[in-house]
Amino acid sequence: MNVKIQGLTYLNDECDKDFSNGNGNLAFSPDSVSLPPMVALKPENLEDDRRRLPTSETRLYFFRYVVLALFVANSMTNSFQWIQYSIIANVVTYYYGVESIAVDWTSMIFMFLYIPLVFPASWLLERKGLRFVVLLGSFGTALGAIVKCASVVPDRFYVTMIGQSIVAASQMFILGIPPRLAAVWFGPNEVSSACAVGVFGNQLGIALGFLLPPELVRNSNDKDRIGSGLQTMFYGMAAITSVIFILIVLFFRAKPPCPPSPAAAASEGTDGERSGGYLKSIQRLLGDKSYIMLLVSYGINVGVFYAISTLLNQVVLDYFPGEERNAGRIGLAIVFSGMLGSVVCGLWLDKTHKFKETTLAVYVCSLLGMLIFTFQFKLNQIAAVFVAAASLGFFMTGYLPLGFEFAAEITYPESEGTSSGLLNASAQVFGISFTLLTGWMLTRVGDTWANLLLCVALLIGVIMTGFVKSELKRQAAQNKPISTAKYSKEPELVI
């Protein structure tokens, strides 16, 4: 069948009408159709034609909340395992007989592996789609948790590192997903909120990672008692991650039948022509001066957060010996307030679309919060630590979805997965650097100078954010109609 139609495909109630049998129902209202140039639809190239020719219909599905909830659960279990050793570092070093730097590497391995693996992970996201990549992340998270069940013996720290490395590698398929999932499934007035909720899952896992390990694995001179606590933690996580993997296999979908917004439809419809391949997309991003500014400033902010989280146990115990459980609760205060900050910032962006102004304001507040956190230890009051940590977390963790969404705006129509993947790679580089440097400074010059170094880094990030050019390309696409065709059910033309 060679059928020539002027303009676009006109679909009935379903967006994926099957024309492979040579027949199809085209519904439109003749008096409301504006026809572009001639386009040929051929059965043998139908899938390519359907991807190239956008439809004027966009639609939101309730199932988007199911997809988002599954991703949040998956992200939560992965990020929990990132911090589960560092927050009980003194207990882990005693049980396994290793140095504190070895425990630090249970956290830093996540940052270290992300840097080389983010590029193939982003490529897979573009080629295989959301479902394939999220399945890989969920499977690896479950597998690593299961491997760690075999590490509850004092001479098997290497087994712990194997399992932790598997989980860390799986993070490649999780950390950069929120902006992509939000753009594919959610409408223009909810995409920033959806991205914030996706980041919320990661932060919820970190919060639980601060809270639960000190409760489950108590400090003791009895290694059998410590081993029992570790066993409870490892077996519980293995069971939870396995259930989540099964649910994702059954229910997670790559994309809805219809795009949720004009920008999503336009991006989907022109994907092949605009991208020129994954490497070309990387080149365009790295040639964008505003994106480079955001790339570095984002890496600094999140890298500082990684360093604080990894070394929190050591800093708190220096001032308050024996307060392992409160160290975990302080970490919990950082992340819980940050989760609130993420949601508030996401809602604010959806309402105002003031991306640069909000990002810069939150960055400045992160710097102020870090200064307060640095000097409040001199008060020697643990209540003051809680207050300072919560204020720091609200802004520093609340910045995460802002960075993702701001990058998506200024780099549109480049893939959100690619832009966020590079942001996260930058964060890992700075995270490793800051963790190693401040960890060394803690033992040489003390926590005050180490934290002041992080404050200087944040000041540099504030300045760089100020130079980011606020060109909201995705917002412009949202406001531009993607076709002049109007959808209608009657009359019906059969060809």
Side-chain angles (χ1 to χ4, degrees), residues 12-307:
N12 64 6
D13 283 343
E14 297 179 2
C15 290
D16 289 319
K17 185 68 179 177
D18 183 9
F19 289 89
S20 59
N21 61 0
N23 298 303
N25 295 330
L26 298 180
F28 63 94
S29 177
D31 61 353
S32 65
V33 176
S34 175
L35 300 177
M38 299 288 286
V39 179
L41 292 179
K42 300 178 181 180
E44 61 270 23
N45 296 319
L46 186 60
E47 288 302 316
D48 290 337
D49 288 329
R50 286 164 59 194
R51 282 194 293 268
R52 185 169 63 250
L53 299 176
T55 174
S56 59
E57 182 177 2
T58 61
R59 184 179 301 179
L60 294 176
Y61 297 84
F62 180 81
F63 195 74
R64 69 191 186 279
Y65 297 115
V66 176
V67 172
L68 183 59
L70 288 172
F71 173 76
V72 166
N74 185 32
S75 179
M76 176 189 69
T77 57
N78 184 275
S79 59
F80 173 90
Q81 297 180 72
W82 167 61
I83 203 67
Q84 69 180 155
Y85 293 99
S86 294
I87 198 59
I88 51 171
N90 59 316
V91 179
V92 174
T93 54
Y94 172 72
Y95 182 77
Y96 287 108
V98 296
E99 298 294 329
S100 59
I101 186 63
V103 181
D104 291 344
W105 270 105
T106 63
S107 169
M108 288 192 293
I109 192 65
F110 280 71
M111 311 175 208
F112 181 78
L113 289 180
Y114 192 94
I115 298 167
L117 295 181
V118 63
F119 299 104
S122 297
W123 180 84
L124 281 173
L125 177 61
E126 293 306 301
R127 292 291 182 176
K128 298 294 185 179
L130 275 174
R131 175 176 165 82
F132 181 82
V133 168
V134 172
L135 277 173
L136 283 180
S138 179
F139 174 76
T141 299
L143 178 62
I146 292 170
V147 167
K148 285 190 283 188
C149 292
S151 70
V152 191
V153 178
D155 62 355
R156 290 187 185 173
F157 185 74
Y158 70 94
V159 177
T160 273
M161 285 304 302
I162 292 173
Q164 195 74 340
S165 297
I166 295 172
V167 178
S170 304
Q171 181 192 218
M172 310 307 110
F173 309 110
I174 296 173
L175 206 56
I177 295 297
R180 180 66 173 169
L181 188 151
V184 168
W185 278 95
F186 288 82
N189 292 324
E190 57 187 15
V191 64
S192 295
S193 299
C195 179
V197 173
V199 174
F200 175 93
N202 178 271
Q203 301 309 306
L204 178 59
I206 296 174
L208 294 174
F210 278 125
L211 177 66
L212 295 181
E215 300 295 332
L216 295 173
V217 188
R218 298 294 181 85
N219 191 10
S220 173
N221 292 325
D222 184 356
K223 288 192 174 183
D224 289 337
R225 184 181 178 187
I226 295 174
S228 177
L230 289 172
Q231 189 174 53
T232 300
M233 181 168 65
F234 292 154
Y235 275 78
M237 184 52 60
I240 292 170
T241 53
S242 298
V243 170
I244 291 173
F245 172 66
I246 293 171
L247 291 175
I248 287 176
V249 169
L250 294 176
F251 299 112
F252 194 91
R253 297 291 178 266
K255 61 180 180 179
C258 287
S261 68
S267 178
E268 190 177 84
T270 61
D271 206 34
E273 288 85 351
R274 69 174 170 83
S275 68
Y278 175 67
L279 292 180
K280 289 290 186 182
S281 179
I282 295 289
Q283 290 175 6
R284 286 192 296 270
L285 289 172
L286 296 181
D288 186 328
K289 293 181 180 179
S290 286
Y291 179 72
I292 292 298
M293 290 287 185
L294 183 61
L295 183 71
V296 176
S297 61
Y298 181 92
I300 291 173
N301 190 298
V302 182
V304 169
F305 170 73
Y306 287 161

